[in-house]
Amino acid sequence: MTASTDIVGDGQSVASGGSPGTSPQVDPRRWLALVIIAIAQLMVVLDASIVTIALPHAQADLGISTADRQWVMTAYTLAFGGLLLLGGRIADFLGRKRIFIWGLIGFAGASALGGAAPNAEFLFAARALQGACAALLAPAALSLITVTFTEGKERARAFGVYGGISGGGAAIGLIVGGLLTEYASWRWCLLVNIPIALVAAAAALPIVRESKAEGKASYDIPGAVTVTAGLVALVYGFTVAAEDGWGSATTIGLLVGSAVLLAAFVVIETRTKAPLLPMRVPLERNRGGSFLASLLIGGGLFAMFLFLTFYFQSTLGYSALRSGFAFLPFSVGIIVSAGLSSQFLPRVGPKALMIGGSVLAVAGLLLLSQIGVDSSYVALVLPAELLISFGMGFAFVPMSSVSLLGVAEHDAGVASALVNTTQQVGGSLGVALLNTVYATAVTDYLTSHGTGPAAQAQAAVEGYTTSFLWSAALIALALIAVIVLVKAGRDDVPQGDGIPVHAG
């Protein structure tokens, strides 16, 4: 359900499939390999949308606090986003097929642990493990497609199938998540990954070809550790602020510690011989604007899904299944608008589409901020969903294109990866921050209006609307970043069958 941009790993090694100076041999089972890779992608996309729908039930069952509930989402996205660049390098040097299979097996194991979680902390840890496995699985899968399909038209067709699975899978996950939660248990929303992952892993063994990068393996472990630890400290600081306040010693300590760790990451990246993130990639003006916008949009969008899910189920009294159907127009809107954006991009250029898409999304979130305890879905929520989804579809495609502007071939994988990384990291930070904003708004309302049933219902809505306003502000900041930093025109759009990025 969430918008995502999938990538390959180290751009230097993406196309390595044969000997230097020779054309790689065409794989006669390449379309079967694509089916297996698409099944794996379907699982990852299903997991994101299924868990979102199941979250209210998991919170009630495990007694997760309002401040901590965001960890069900952020534990996954932090591990995924924080380790994605490292995962791409590991897949390139240890073997893309090998890491693809181990990523699937690990994802199945993590899903089993999450489905059997006896308490909140166990569930959070399982979700983090899922994210780490996805950080291996996603770049390996995209790299495998690139080295398996060597002819331009076939490669484009393969990535079209892959992108269609991503978009359609999100919609399927909404319904499957609703069905499993309502008629079985929220636990099955995690357990369903096990057969999918194991079947895909078993099928990959005889069918998918192995490929590796040439040269000496090099992994920036210090960079991966510092950036991930810094992001975890930042999210945890936001979480503590919901209970102890922004001025507490613990909150300040975590936020300062996060700043120190992230600063250390930048220093490491400027001095290491094989950096996880070469600073030349994000510091170019157009690319930097695209990555910053991606970070801010991810923050606003992921948080919107969290609060709208709780609004449907806790305030409007929707079942999990009905909530899934209520989100369907969003998935459809992104699929349609992403297709239109691909057609418009060569004609109007990336900046106009990014600006227009961001404006639509801000308008939709401002409309959502008008919801009440008994608002009409058709009259208010549905138009807002359509505005946001069309806006995001129009923004994501050119954003992905701008991320590759002027980038050297050996940096292409990192540049493309950063779009997904910034969305995942932005989503983690946005959900944590706005969950704290929500909790503060609810507490303030109850303090001044009492704690009766009517006041509690209205307090929750006050929390939702405040959070939607903050989400709109985050995407408005993304709009400003695009206007100020992105200067690329239609003649600058990359052409050809390079590394793909898609909204799903």
Side-chain angles (χ1 to χ4, degrees), residues 96-371:
R96 295 159 187 135
K97 173 183 174 178
R98 175 186 297 177
I99 296 304
F100 177 74
I101 291 173
W102 279 112
L104 285 167
I105 294 172
F107 203 92
S111 298
L113 293 173
N119 54 50
E121 293 75 17
F122 200 96
L123 177 60
F124 301 157
R127 289 288 287 160
L129 183 57
Q130 276 188 310
C133 292
L136 295 172
L137 181 61
L142 265 293
S143 293
L144 283 170
I145 291 181
T146 304
V147 299
T148 301
F149 293 88
T150 56
E151 193 273 323
K153 289 184 178 179
E154 282 197 351
R155 181 182 292 178
R157 192 180 310 158
F159 280 125
V161 171
Y162 190 88
I165 288 288
S166 298
I172 294 170
L174 295 168
I175 307 305
V176 172
L179 286 169
L180 290 174
T181 302
E182 189 163 345
Y183 296 110
S185 165
W186 66 267
R187 296 180 182 276
W188 278 102
C189 293
L190 291 165
L191 297 175
V192 72
N193 293 323
I194 300 173
I196 300 175
L198 294 181
V199 167
L205 278 170
I207 294 175
V208 177
R209 280 185 175 181
E210 183 60 283
S211 68
K212 294 183 181 180
E214 298 177 359
K216 184 179 178 181
S218 177
Y219 307 113
D220 181 13
I221 302 299
V225 170
T226 51
V227 70
T228 304
L231 292 171
V232 170
L234 186 57
V235 169
Y236 192 45
F238 291 156
T239 305
V240 170
E243 298 178 338
D244 298 349
W246 291 101
S248 74
T250 305
T251 301
I252 294 173
L254 286 165
L255 297 181
V256 171
S258 171
V260 171
L261 286 166
L262 294 176
F265 168 71
V266 174
V267 172
I268 290 170
E269 298 311 282
T270 58
R271 297 186 177 183
T272 187
K273 292 182 179 179
L276 194 66
L277 174 59
M279 288 294 112
R280 60 182 174 271
V281 174
L283 291 181
E284 192 275 330
R285 179 172 184 162
N286 288 291
R287 295 195 298 266
S290 175
F291 298 140
L292 179 57
S294 177
L295 183 82
L296 293 165
I297 288 174
L301 192 62
F302 280 56
M304 181 275 297
F305 278 118
L306 172 67
F307 298 116
L308 200 53
T309 297
F310 277 90
Y311 176 67
F312 285 151
Q313 297 188 33
S314 300
T315 301
L316 297 184
Y318 286 9
S319 66
L321 181 59
R322 187 176 179 185
S323 297
F325 279 107
F327 272 119
L328 269 183
F330 192 96
S331 296
V332 173
I334 280 196
I335 293 170
V336 172
S337 57
L340 292 173
S341 184
S342 298
Q343 299 297 319
F344 293 150
L345 182 58
R347 303 176 188 176
V348 302
K351 184 169 184 175
L353 287 172
M354 292 168 73
I355 290 174
S358 300
V359 169
L360 287 176
V362 170
L365 284 163
L366 291 177
L367 185 58
L368 268 187
S369 71
Q370 304 304 307
I371 59 172

Side-chain angles (χ1 to χ4, degrees), residues 483-500:
I483 293 173
V484 173
L485 296 175
V486 177
K487 300 299 181 183
R490 62 183 182 181
D491 294 335
D492 299 311
V493 177
Q495 301 294 328
D497 54 47
I499 300 172

Side-chain angles (χ1 to χ4, degrees), residues 62-77:
L62 298 181
I64 304 172
S65 70
T66 298
D68 287 340
R69 69 186 181 188
Q70 48 86 17
W71 282 108
V72 177
M73 298 173 68
T74 55
Y76 177 88
T77 53

Side-chain angles (χ1 to χ4, degrees), residues 446-466:
L446 292 176
T447 299
S448 59
H449 292 81
T451 58
Q456 290 187 17
Q458 185 59 42
V461 171
E462 290 291 325
Y464 301 141
T465 55
T466 303

